[in-house]
Amino acid sequence: MPKLKDVCHHIRSKNAGPFWVTFDLFFKSPDMFEQYKADPALGPQLFAKTFGTNPDLVRYYPVASLSMVKISYPRPSPQGGLIERDMHSGQQYVRILDVELSQKPAMTG
Amino acid sequence: MQDEPVKIIVPVGSLGAGVRKEEVEFGIAQGAQAIATDAGSTDSGAAYLGLGMSKNNRESVRRDLLILMEAASRRGMPLIVGTCGQAGGDLNVDWTVDIVREVASELQWKPRIAVLYSEQEKDTLKAKNAAGKIKPLAPLGPLEDSTIDECEHIVAALGPEPYIAALERGADIVLGGRTTDTAVIACYALWKGAPKGPSWHAAKISECGAQCTVAPTKGSGVLISIDNDGFEVQPLSNDNRCDPHSVSAHMLYENSDPFRLTEPGGVLDVIDAVYEQADPRTVRVTGSRWEEQPYTMKLEGVKKIGYQTTMLVGIQDPVVLSRLGEFHEKFLAALNFRIINAVGLEPHEFHISLRYYGWNAVSGDEPPEDAPPPREVGVLFVATGETQDMANQIAKACNPYFFHFPIDMEQELPSYGFAFSPADGPRGPVFEFVLNHVVEADEAGELVRERWVEIRELEASNA
């Protein structure tokens, strides 16, 4: 099974205001986008388990024209404060790079 | 609108980040009619609003203003700056006004300066709350008056209308408090009668300056040009370019929704926008829509949650590094015990954490079982107390343990690598964002205070 980092050419995370984090997954091709955009391994439970967010509030926005999926979820604690470790959430993406996708890569050619 | 497109220089992503004079000249040569930029955001955390402090050093902001004000005065075009001083609170705005005065004197220029304050009185907000005119945004719930009382500073993000009113009255420079990144750039085009969808969309695309270009490190700013059917965007740097991907991808940046952006008085909807290469450096965008909505302004408020003191130690001891999970548990327990005994605090009166840089400091999670030991770790000790003195006392009480804590009690006491003496450094107050709400304004000017600054003869002749 491929990992997320195998099917994307760029993955990033950043705050979207002090209360939300947004992930941008840019897939390597329109085919890979179509195949993995709704992969169950990228479902709300991934973000609940990895980051402690409420799975009911995880939002998905596929953008076909850019072969990318935007995923946004509420920060488990607001930006800053006692236990802040990543003020801009700019490093959070690293923790999902190795997520194993549940579908096999499409046969091409 | 006028027959010619409205052209606006967005010289930099944030005032103070490094405006380039040659780029501003390029924009002028293309026929720019205004300069607009924001000067901050919430991105860097709550302290800048809490303390009324800029993130930038004064000189970097002064240098950028010198280039922009010189161009504005020479061309007779307005200079518009939003979210002054990083957070856009009154103190942040006044800090910027002071620099603008100094630069005006240096240029022997007497501009008409409109200052727009967006900091809010607590009583005003409580009255709005009582009237049901403050609504929460997910993930927060309804606003309690006690939360308003806890805030050090509260700002409401301005829309374009107060800027338009100031331009209408002849402002050469408009300095705004907290403003949406887009409103400060869209205001000039909206004032000139450009269509709303393209004006707002062009503002969103250009709000981070050259971030929407193919090579963001090659320049600082962009030029936007808004006409009756759409808008165009190009870099201000000659050796850079925009392409449909670089421009459309910026709509994703730091937004939770890539298609719809809520602004005061409406929503920008770009789901049907079309991005095309107009010439090798320029992208043309059509199909952007604006939907009118009730006038709401987003509130930002920060609460002081205590004071912090930090210490940093480096560890290369291979035995400690091979058993870091176990070491951490013992270490944290020993330090908590020490504070209770040596400072006399109850557990609920303080908070400490240990963060292992080189191991799991950024995530805070448990590394995999088979993760190899790191070559070294830096352990950051963070103490939070009710006062700065308390945080300092906590750190000082922990100092010998932080320096010598052994992983096995029967061994000789180790000495870890302190980086500094004194080992502890006060961090000052710590702030947290506590508001994620919108307030309904009866009209766009209701929650804004306006002041005009005159540059007196005396100041101008002192340069």
Side-chain angles (χ1 to χ4, degrees):
Chain A
M1 298 296 165
K3 293 179 172 179
L4 182 61
K5 68 185 179 191
D6 300 328
V7 300
C8 289
H9 70 81
H10 185 46
I11 302 172
R12 66 187 182 189
S13 60
K14 199 82 189 277
N15 290 342
F19 293 87
W20 285 77
V21 185
T22 190
F23 280 59
D24 293 340
L25 318 181
F26 293 90
F27 289 88
K28 282 181 176 170
S29 68
D31 287 348
M32 287 187 173
F33 165 75
E34 284 303 328
Q35 190 173 359
Y36 297 110
K37 66 182 180 186
D39 195 288
L42 300 174
Q45 285 308 329
L46 171 67
F47 294 89
K49 193 173 96 227
T50 312
F51 303 105
T53 193
N54 177 351
D56 297 338
L57 294 177
V58 181
R59 297 178 187 168
Y60 292 80
Y61 304 95
V63 184
S65 62
L66 294 169
S67 296
M68 69 83 65
V69 176
K70 180 179 265 300
I71 305 172
S72 303
Y73 65 85
R75 266 172 156 268
S77 67
Q79 181 192 15
L82 274 190
I83 52 164
E84 183 59 70
R85 293 170 177 275
D86 184 8
M87 190 65 70
H88 297 74
S89 300
Q91 292 295 304
Q92 299 301 303
Y93 75 94
V94 176
R95 298 170 71 194
I96 65 166
L97 291 178
D98 290 326
V99 166
E100 297 210 358
L101 303 172
S102 39
Q103 298 172 27
K104 285 183 183 168
M107 296 301 287
T108 51
Chain B
M1 81 176 258
Q2 47 193 20
D3 294 336
E4 294 296 309
V6 181
K7 296 185 177 179
I8 302 163
I9 293 172
V10 184
V12 66
S14 183
L15 187 72
V19 171
R20 304 186 191 191
K21 187 167 170 51
E22 67 279 12
E23 290 197 354
V24 176
E25 295 306 321
F26 176 87
I28 290 172
Q30 303 294 309
Q33 298 143 262
I35 301 172
T37 178
D38 82 55
S41 87
T42 57
D43 282 351
S44 300
Y48 301 102
L49 182 56
L51 297 168
M53 184 176 81
S54 168
K55 186 179 81 170
N56 287 301
N57 63 313
R58 192 178 191 281
E59 179 61 16
S60 64
V61 173
R62 196 192 70 86
R63 282 176 186 225
D64 281 3
L65 282 169
L66 184 61
I67 295 169
L68 298 176
M69 287 171 62
E70 191 281 323
S73 72
R74 174 162 39 96
R75 291 283 298 175
M77 63 180 170
L79 168 62
I80 306 158
V81 183
T83 310
C84 284
Q86 186 65 30
D90 289 2
L91 292 167
N92 307 80
V93 173
D94 287 339
W95 181 83
T96 309
V97 171
D98 187 60
I99 303 172
V100 167
R101 279 177 178 277
E102 182 183 311
V103 172
S105 296
E106 192 175 334
L107 292 170
Q108 296 278 306
W109 183 33
K110 288 188 276 180
R112 300 198 70 212
I113 305 169
V115 186
L116 308 171
Y117 293 101
S118 62
E119 197 155 331
Q120 303 298 313
E121 294 287 341
K122 291 178 177 176
D123 287 344
T124 308
L125 293 178
K126 286 180 192 170
K128 285 280 187 192
N129 204 22
K133 292 192 169 179
I134 296 184
K135 303 266 165 52
L137 301 173
L140 297 195
L143 183 59
E144 303 289 338
D145 280 358
S146 57
T147 304
I148 298 176
D149 282 327
E150 284 170 351
C151 287
E152 296 283 321
H153 295 281
I154 301 173
V155 289
L158 302 179
E161 294 81 1
Y163 288 85
I164 292 171
L167 291 167
E168 191 64 45
R169 289 167 59 196
D172 299 306
I173 299 176
V174 189
L175 301 174
R178 185 64 173 131
T179 306
T180 74
D181 294 353
T182 29
V184 66
I185 297 169
C187 66
Y188 184 85
L190 294 169
W191 180 45
K192 290 293 173 186
K196 290 184 177 180
S199 296
W200 282 102
H201 194 184
K204 169 59 196 169
I205 293 300
S206 60
E207 49 108 7
C208 283
Q211 189 80 32
C212 67
T213 65
V214 169
T217 55
K218 275 192 177 170
S220 291
V222 292
L223 181 74
I224 51 173
S225 174
I226 301 135
D227 56 54
N228 283 322
D229 305 312
F231 74 93
E232 293 183 355
V233 55
Q234 63 173 298
L236 288 172
S237 167
N238 238 333
D239 62 349
N240 197 357
R241 50 192 296 271
C242 288
D243 71 17
H245 186 277
S246 73
V247 172
S248 60
H250 193 71
M251 199 59 211
L252 307 169
Y253 194 67
E254 294 175 346
N255 268 359
S256 56
D257 183 328
F259 298 121
R260 288 173 66 83
L261 189 66
T262 303
E263 292 284 338
V267 174
L268 168 66
D269 185 324
V270 304
I271 197 152
D272 293 327
V274 177
Y275 303 79
E276 297 164 299
Q277 197 79 50
D279 69 37
R281 314 177 58 252
T282 307
V283 167
R284 179 164 183 81
V285 184
T286 51
S288 333
R289 282 193 306 264
W290 176 257
E291 292 170 16
E292 301 285 341
Q293 301 248 324
Y295 204 90
T296 58
M297 298 164 78
K298 189 156 179 268
L299 295 172
E300 290 164 2
V302 297
K303 170 179 134 180
K304 190 192 291 179
I305 56 171
Y307 291 76
Q308 286 184 335
T309 301
T310 57
M311 297 191 285
L312 178 65
V313 81
I315 300 180
Q316 283 195 318
D317 181 325
V319 179
V320 173
L321 296 179
S322 67
R323 293 157 58 193
L324 272 172
E326 173 198 347
F327 180 71
H328 172 67
E329 273 182 35
K330 289 181 176 173
F331 201 10
L332 190 63
L335 293 177
N336 273 303
F337 188 72
R338 168 76 177 164
I339 294 162
I340 292 164
N341 283 290
V343 189
L345 294 176
E346 299 289 329
H348 68 271
E349 292 176 302
F350 68 94
H351 182 273
I352 59 167
S353 62
L354 299 170
R355 302 155 189 214
Y356 297 73
Y357 283 88
W359 185 236
N360 72 343
V362 180
S363 63
D365 64 0
E366 194 69 37
E369 288 276 326
D370 58 352
R375 188 164 168 266
E376 62 179 48
V377 291
V379 188
L380 182 69
F381 167 98
V382 183
T384 310
E386 234 176 76
T387 62
Q388 187 66 65
D389 183 56
M390 187 184 285
N392 294 346
Q393 296 307 316
I394 292 167
K396 286 180 196 304
C398 290
N399 179 317
Y401 287 63
F402 193 57
F403 181 39
H404 290 304
F405 188 75
I407 187 159
D408 295 311
M409 286 308 139
E410 59 276 16
Q411 75 178 94
E412 180 187 296
L413 289 184
S415 297
Y416 303 128
F418 267 133
F420 306 112
S421 172
D424 55 310
R427 284 222 330 105
V430 186
F431 298 91
E432 201 171 79
F433 285 107
V434 290
L435 297 183
N436 196 35
H437 298 77
V438 292
V439 57
E440 288 173 29
D442 296 334
E443 44 94 20
E446 187 198 12
L447 298 173
V448 189
R449 284 165 293 123
E450 185 187 89
R451 172 166 84 95
W452 288 76
V453 173
E454 299 294 333
I455 303 296
R456 293 191 301 276
E457 205 69 43
L458 184 66
E459 285 179 287
S461 64
N462 268 348

